[in-house]
Amino acid sequence: MDLFDVPLDTFSSPFKLHQMKQSLKAKKVLIVEDQATMRKAIREMIYGFNMKLITEAANGSSAIAAMRKESFDIVLCDYNLGSGKNGQQILEEARFRKLLPFYAVFIMVTAEQTQSMVLGAMDNKPDEYMTKPFNAEQLLNRIKRNISRKEYLGDIEKALDSGNISLAIAHCDKKLLENNRLMHTHLLKLRAQLAIKIGDFKKAKAIYQAVLEQGELNWATLGLGIIAYLQDDFGEAEAVFRKLIDDYPMMLEAFDWLAKTHEAQGDFAGAQKTLNEATALSPQAILRQQKLATMANMNGELVIAEKAYKTAIDLGKNSVHHSSEDFAGLAKIYSKTDAKSALKTLKDMRSLYFGNPEAELRAALLETEVFHQLADEESSMQAYQTAQKLSLELGSKAPTDLRLEMIKTSYLKGDDKAANKQLEQLIKNHADDDHFMGDVRKVLDETGNAQQGEKLIARIKKELVDINNKGVDLFKQGNITEATQVFQKAATTMPENKTIMINMVKILLHDLKSSEVSKEKIQRIQTFINKASQFGVKKEKIEHLQAQLNNLSHKINSTAS
């Protein structure tokens, strides 16, 4: 049964229809449509459903502004809105900025039926998808079944919206016991996803296998592949995702997971090929284009990278996911063959991201390189000095790839002292990230500092192991306070180190379970969990720890009440 498989005649009797219209009366509706005549037609339909709280928007910017101003129950959004944001980009931004409440129904409307448009629209998973023309009865049916579904799942979605995964699981389990025929399969799908969120792969796998015993459902097969991936069984994951693509060649999620699986195995050529196939099917997905550009650039496939960067820049004009990295990546490609185009691209980036220190730093670093290639050493040095200043101002706020590029540029400029200082701090914070350390070694090799760098890496890794062992030993001995102090001190000097963060959270959680509970302790743990998420600790690890904290917090609140 699909997400939308609530029978259209659920409210077909006059009495039930009257009840539905009465319940719709208080709903706030946003109509996003660039054609005035179509807006009017939809508005008249909505009025006929007894809904009077209607807001209209003729373009994407107005739609986002309206959603910032108030929360809507129903959004009817056309896909093609002329110039500016399209419907896909509106939904993308609304989700990103959390402008849609958990109870909101987002219905994508379109007159087009091209494959790339349909797949692009479905990439962001609207609640419903309608094609023009449609009549009032068809629209009402779609609204009815989605509101019914949202209301039925409301307590689960509300818990998830507040970050309380354990409460969402409790609500889901309770509803599964009701054995609601219409919603049972969807509840199983949701329950398996919740199990994955907290790292309970055994439970999720059992659900998916039980579902597949009743029939072939691609989302259950995908779930098994995701579990294999998360458990580092990449061979199994790859086999599952490949079979899904063979059986369902338009299933973009399978392409994305297959690309991630290739990347996790170091098969960057395979990841690029998979992403290339996915972007050919659905070229409007900016995040996928950005990933393809990065991967192709890494593989030295500059023609593919250039095309993907250009597409990402074009999509970024109206997307919340626009990034100065796309301009910098394109300029980096041009710097190898066409210095003039590289400098023009950087000029365009500066204009678009005026006052953005990260964009300014990316531009200054590339200008250092380009002017050096043009034998303009004075301009190159000026650009480098600007980069140094910006790097100091940004500090740890700069992305790690940008800080590593700063280190590389410092070495190439003969400023070993500045490079070594930044490198030591970067290694301390990311020594447990094998992929990133591979990038560090590549920079050290390219700048002729491999031998010196390996000594530094070995020394820092030993220091980290010693700190970790000391803290863990104290914890095992029951010296919770001293163990906390060890990791707290390490977290102060290495604020981005993921292993330190996770161990700190685990110790604080253990202390919370075995001692007097307080809101201050809960807040402290939450701060570390938030930091771990911010600095890229695996999602399943974060959600597992968050679920434990939510359980403890829930018990405290229950006791207090």
Side-chain angles (χ1 to χ4, degrees), residues 342-512:
L343 292 173
K344 183 185 181 302
T345 302
L346 293 176
K347 183 181 178 182
D348 292 343
M349 179 173 79
R350 276 206 168 97
S351 175
L352 188 61
Y353 293 91
F354 180 76
N356 182 316
E358 181 184 322
E360 291 286 344
L361 177 53
R362 290 189 187 280
L365 285 170
L366 278 165
E367 285 171 345
T368 302
E369 181 180 339
V370 173
F371 284 127
H372 174 71
Q373 291 171 355
L374 294 172
D376 185 351
E377 289 304 328
E378 183 179 351
S379 296
S380 179
M381 185 53 71
Q382 286 177 353
Y384 174 64
Q385 288 169 351
T386 299
Q388 276 188 311
K389 182 182 176 183
L390 288 164
S391 180
L392 286 171
E393 288 175 2
L394 278 168
S396 61
K397 292 179 182 178
T400 52
D401 72 296
L402 195 49
R403 285 146 72 185
L404 188 56
E405 190 66 28
M406 184 73 232
I407 290 167
K408 179 181 177 179
T409 304
S410 295
Y411 275 133
L412 293 174
K413 279 295 177 185
D415 194 354
D416 288 11
K417 184 178 179 181
N420 289 334
K421 183 178 179 182
Q422 291 184 69
L423 180 63
E424 181 165 354
Q425 189 60 37
L426 206 56
I427 294 172
K428 281 183 177 179
N429 281 305
H430 301 281
D432 51 358
D433 185 338
D434 292 338
H435 182 72
F436 181 72
M437 289 307 297
D439 293 338
V440 169
R441 287 185 168 93
K442 185 178 178 183
V443 165
L444 290 168
D445 189 52
E446 289 174 351
T447 58
N449 292 280
Q451 189 173 359
Q452 173 192 342
E454 284 301 331
K455 289 180 181 178
L456 180 63
I457 291 170
R459 175 174 66 79
I460 292 172
K461 280 197 169 185
K462 185 179 183 307
E463 288 176 9
L464 286 169
V465 168
D466 290 344
I467 290 169
N468 196 59
N469 287 345
K470 183 179 180 181
V472 171
D473 286 344
L474 287 167
F475 172 70
K476 287 179 178 178
Q477 293 165 20
N479 298 324
I480 307 298
T481 302
E482 290 180 47
T484 303
Q485 288 172 350
V486 168
F487 284 117
Q488 181 67 67
K489 184 179 177 181
T492 303
T493 56
M494 295 171 279
E496 300 169 57
N497 188 282
K498 297 170 190 166
T499 301
I500 298 294
M501 283 184 218
I502 291 298
N503 282 338
M504 187 71 179
V505 171
K506 287 178 178 178
I507 286 175
L508 290 173
L509 277 170
H510 184 274
D511 180 51
L512 193 64

Side-chain angles (χ1 to χ4, degrees), residues 167-200:
L167 183 58
I169 288 172
H171 286 313
C172 194
D173 286 340
K174 183 179 178 182
K175 288 186 183 300
L176 280 166
L177 292 174
E178 296 170 5
N179 204 23
N180 183 311
R181 184 179 62 84
L182 297 175
M183 295 300 299
H184 191 71
T185 302
H186 180 61
L187 283 168
L188 286 173
K189 180 180 180 181
L190 185 55
R191 182 62 180 87
Q193 291 170 341
L194 291 172
I196 288 175
K197 278 181 179 290
I198 62 169
D200 187 357

Side-chain angles (χ1 to χ4, degrees), residues 34-45:
D34 63 324
Q35 300 295 325
T37 52
M38 190 62 191
R39 268 202 318 277
K40 182 181 178 183
I42 295 175
R43 183 177 67 241
E44 292 303 318
M45 290 183 196

Side-chain angles (χ1 to χ4, degrees), residues 61-338:
S61 297
S62 299
I64 294 296
M67 283 188 271
R68 284 180 180 276
K69 188 176 179 181
E70 62 180 309
S71 297
F72 292 96
D73 300 284
I74 301 165
V75 179
L76 293 164
C77 183
D78 192 39
Y79 180 85
N80 193 338
L81 297 167
S83 60
K85 296 179 187 296
N86 60 32
Q88 176 185 343
Q89 291 165 331
I90 290 171
L91 177 54
E92 190 177 62
E93 183 163 352
R95 291 244 175 89
F96 181 80
R97 299 196 186 283
K98 301 187 185 305
L99 302 178
L100 286 171
F102 66 89
Y103 52 80
V105 173
F106 192 103
I107 300 177
M108 190 77 76
V109 179
T110 182
E112 298 181 48
Q113 282 295 291
T114 62
Q115 175 182 291
S116 62
M117 187 283 301
V118 172
L119 288 175
M122 297 307 290
D123 240 345
N124 285 293
K125 295 183 174 62
D127 293 299
E128 189 67 78
Y129 183 84
M130 292 189 71
T131 56
K132 298 176 183 176
F134 53 83
N135 59 36
E137 183 181 2
Q138 290 169 326
L139 178 57
L140 180 59
N141 280 333
R142 301 298 178 94
I143 290 173
K144 287 190 306 188
R145 70 182 181 187
N146 278 285
I147 285 179
S148 297
R149 176 176 55 83
K150 290 278 184 175
E151 288 177 351
Y152 184 74
L153 300 173
D155 49 3
I156 301 172
E157 297 295 344
K158 185 178 181 180
L160 282 173
D161 192 56
S162 66
N164 196 336
I165 299 172
S166 56
L167 183 58
I169 288 172
H171 286 313
C172 194
D173 286 340
K174 183 179 178 182
K175 288 186 183 300
L176 280 166
L177 292 174
E178 296 170 5
N179 204 23
N180 183 311
R181 184 179 62 84
L182 297 175
M183 295 300 299
H184 191 71
T185 302
H186 180 61
L187 283 168
L188 286 173
K189 180 180 180 181
L190 185 55
R191 182 62 180 87
Q193 291 170 341
L194 291 172
I196 288 175
K197 278 181 179 290
I198 62 169
D200 187 357
F201 300 131
K202 184 178 179 181
K203 174 71 174 180
K205 192 171 183 178
I207 292 172
Y208 289 135
Q209 288 174 334
V211 167
L212 288 171
E213 285 175 6
Q214 302 302 312
E216 184 62 34
L217 288 173
N218 57 14
W219 58 262
T221 305
L222 181 73
L224 291 176
I226 292 171
I227 291 170
Y229 172 87
L230 294 174
Q231 293 183 316
D232 296 336
D233 187 355
F234 300 125
E236 174 64 18
E238 182 176 342
V240 171
F241 300 138
R242 281 191 183 282
K243 187 175 188 310
L244 275 172
I245 291 169
D246 288 341
D247 294 343
Y248 306 95
M250 301 297 171
M251 191 176 180
L252 292 170
E253 277 186 283
F255 283 94
D256 291 335
W257 279 103
L258 179 58
K260 287 173 71 172
T261 304
H262 283 311
E263 187 177 1
Q265 296 176 95
D267 180 9
F268 303 124
Q272 178 193 315
K273 180 177 180 293
T274 302
L275 289 166
N276 210 23
E277 291 171 358
T279 54
L281 290 170
S282 179
Q284 299 298 311
I286 185 172
L287 295 177
R288 199 175 288 124
Q289 290 284 0
Q290 289 170 337
K291 187 67 178 178
L292 172 61
T294 302
M295 201 61 63
N297 197 16
M298 184 189 301
N299 292 331
E301 297 280 358
L302 302 187
V303 174
I304 294 174
E306 179 183 350
K307 181 183 176 184
Y309 276 129
K310 284 181 175 178
T311 303
I313 288 170
D314 187 52
L315 292 170
K317 292 173 185 175
N318 299 304
S319 172
V320 71
H321 295 302
H322 65 86
S323 172
S324 63
E325 288 184 64
D326 300 328
F327 285 88
L330 183 60
K332 185 80 172 175
I333 290 172
Y334 286 148
S335 71
K336 303 180 194 315
T337 55
D338 185 355

